[in-house]
Amino acid sequence: MSSRPLRSDARRNLERILEAAQHLFADRGTQVSMEEVAQRAGVGVGTLYRRFPTKEALLTALVRERFRDFTAVATAVAAEEVAEHALATLVRRHAEAIAVDGAFQLAMMSTDSFRWEGVEDDKRAFAAVVSEVIGRGQAAGVVRGDLDFEDYATVMAGVTATMHFRPGADWRRAVELALGGLRAP
Amino acid sequence: MSSRPLRSDARRNLERILEAAQHLFADRGTQVSMEEVAQRAGVGVGTLYRRFPTKEALLTALVRERFRDFTAVATAVAAEEVAEHALATLVRRHAEAIAVDGAFQLAMMSTDSFRWEGVEDDKRAFAAVVSEVIGRGQAAGVVRGDLDFEDYATVMAGVTATMHFRPGADWRRAVELALGGLRAP
DNA sequence: ACCTGAACACCGTTCAAGT
DNA sequence: ACCTGAACACCGTTCAAGT
């Protein structure tokens, strides 16, 4: 990835693929077929596979974008919110963002998705912000002293499972229960 | 279901199917094919589908068994453990039981699986025991006052997501974080 | 370089033929 | 009643032919 620039038609196709995929996956979840993504993007399946070797790779590319979007949100929260409430606000906002996007949900739950090209960088940037928020909460005495970014990921994965697999359940309640586990005893 | 008794050969086939499926799904997860289950059970796929209209139905039948097994464990915990620790013990033991069984994991995460014939009864029995344990913990002042069985299911679904989707992550840590959310503030 | 779509592989599910 | 397995449908992925 990120070798020489794409030919202009290829570049345009790539954009259309990403847009089509984002729409379809966010709306109707992961079970949308590659064929349908290609159709909506106005390309053949072969083109799709030329850019993304597997369906999961396509999903991951989308998720990287969401990840970066949300890192920006997290940075804003870190800047604006007082140390006592920053982590709780972050968790709640993150949950809202995940709730509306089926692809993002999948990504939050699995480690595998995070192994694809370059995701590590995005993750690192995100982890840095979250860690800072956790640290300030700990300094303020409201966040569990041994909490780290991995724990944050674990907890968000749990909340996401409720959203994704238990449509009837109240995921906001799941968020509040999870927050109880993050607080200093 | 539970109409007239099966012919003896059919009964034997059913047993072999359940045993084969339990083994395969627990070991290698849900992606094991119906064909392979049939083969291991020594029957044709058609026979498999005669007993279970879909793969999910088969999974659910297995899960009902696990559910009943675990209700027995929960009952024992309720009887033996002091009110202050019973819920935590239950959660930890439940997590252990889920960890070793891929089919059980799937079931803990999804509501859909719980809609199949008769599962409601098993669930009710399980819910009764869990609710009692929660109630005694609340009376002892160590469990969050507004906690109910739905919350228990939500929390276990979250822990299960970590087991299922994040093989690298430490699910015991997820359990401990979750327990923090169940305690009285 | 890049695009296309027919073809392949795999798997869940069905059903005609058999006992 | 029950059993079998070939056949069908669907979908992820590949690749020969074309620009």
Side-chain angles (χ1 to χ4, degrees):
Chain A
M1 185 142 264
S2 80
S3 36
R4 61 206 73 257
L6 294 171
R7 219 167 64 182
S8 70
D9 58 337
R11 175 151 175 57
R12 170 141 181 73
N13 281 338
L14 177 56
E15 277 161 19
R16 296 175 59 126
I17 287 169
L18 286 170
E19 197 209 310
Q22 172 61 29
H23 254 94
L24 290 171
F25 288 139
D27 271 17
R28 286 168 37 213
T30 322
Q31 86 290 7
V32 170
S33 73
M34 291 293 265
E35 180 62 46
E36 193 173 346
V37 172
Q39 221 164 316
R40 171 155 179 163
V43 302
V45 250
T47 303
L48 192 42
Y49 277 92
R50 164 168 261 267
R51 292 297 156 226
F52 304 98
T54 63
K55 188 175 185 177
E56 191 179 344
L58 172 58
L59 249 355
T60 308
L62 293 175
V63 162
R64 289 190 60 180
E65 292 186 349
R66 281 328 111 234
F67 231 82
R68 278 186 290 241
D69 292 351
F70 192 70
T71 300
V73 173
T75 306
V77 169
E80 292 162 16
E81 187 65 281
V82 296
E84 281 79 4
H85 297 134
L87 182 59
T89 301
L90 189 61
V91 168
R92 290 195 186 99
R93 290 249 233 147
H94 197 171
E96 307 275 356
I98 293 167
V100 298
D101 188 326
F104 206 0
Q105 286 171 27
L106 203 94
M108 281 311 303
M109 289 189 295
S110 66
T111 319
D112 291 356
S113 315
F114 289 145
R115 295 200 198 288
W116 201 59
E117 304 197 29
V119 193
E120 283 308 323
D121 295 337
D122 296 333
K123 192 180 177 182
R124 198 157 19 242
F126 183 59
V129 183
V130 173
S131 298
E132 190 207 321
V133 169
I134 290 174
R136 292 198 355 231
Q138 287 167 332
V142 298
V143 170
R144 226 182 127 120
D146 65 351
L147 201 80
D148 63 15
F149 175 71
E150 267 308 303
D151 293 332
Y152 179 91
T154 295
V155 162
M156 290 310 301
V159 169
T160 303
T162 292
M163 292 176 187
H164 197 80
F165 294 109
R166 312 177 69 230
D170 177 6
W171 61 261
R172 287 171 206 277
R173 171 72 175 168
V175 169
E176 296 312 314
L177 290 173
L179 286 175
L182 305 184
R183 267 192 280 278
Chain B
M1 182 142 266
S2 80
S3 35
R4 63 206 71 253
L6 294 172
R7 219 167 64 181
S8 69
D9 58 337
R11 175 152 173 55
R12 170 142 181 73
N13 280 338
L14 176 57
E15 275 161 19
R16 295 175 59 125
I17 287 169
L18 287 170
E19 197 209 309
Q22 172 60 29
H23 254 94
L24 290 171
F25 289 139
D27 272 16
R28 285 167 37 211
T30 321
Q31 86 289 8
V32 170
S33 73
M34 290 294 265
E35 180 62 44
E36 194 173 346
V37 172
Q39 220 164 318
R40 171 155 177 159
V43 302
V45 251
T47 303
L48 192 41
Y49 277 92
R50 165 167 261 264
R51 291 299 156 226
F52 304 99
T54 63
K55 187 176 185 176
E56 190 179 345
L58 172 58
L59 250 354
T60 309
L62 293 175
V63 161
R64 287 189 62 181
E65 292 186 349
R66 279 332 110 232
F67 231 82
R68 277 187 291 240
D69 292 350
F70 192 70
T71 300
V73 173
T75 305
V77 169
E80 292 163 16
E81 187 65 281
V82 295
E84 280 79 5
H85 299 132
L87 182 59
T89 301
L90 189 62
V91 168
R92 290 195 186 101
R93 291 249 232 148
H94 197 173
E96 306 275 356
I98 293 167
V100 298
D101 189 326
F104 205 2
Q105 286 171 25
L106 203 96
M108 281 312 302
M109 289 188 295
S110 66
T111 319
D112 291 357
S113 314
F114 290 146
R115 295 200 197 289
W116 201 59
E117 305 196 29
V119 193
E120 282 308 323
D121 295 336
D122 296 333
K123 191 180 176 183
R124 197 158 19 243
F126 183 59
V129 183
V130 173
S131 298
E132 191 208 319
V133 170
I134 290 175
R136 292 202 349 235
Q138 288 167 330
V142 297
V143 171
R144 224 182 130 122
D146 65 352
L147 200 81
D148 63 16
F149 175 70
E150 267 308 302
D151 293 332
Y152 179 90
T154 296
V155 162
M156 289 310 300
V159 169
T160 304
T162 292
M163 290 177 190
H164 198 80
F165 294 109
R166 313 177 69 232
D170 177 6
W171 61 262
R172 286 170 206 276
R173 171 73 174 167
V175 169
E176 297 312 313
L177 290 173
L179 286 175
L182 304 184
R183 268 192 279 277

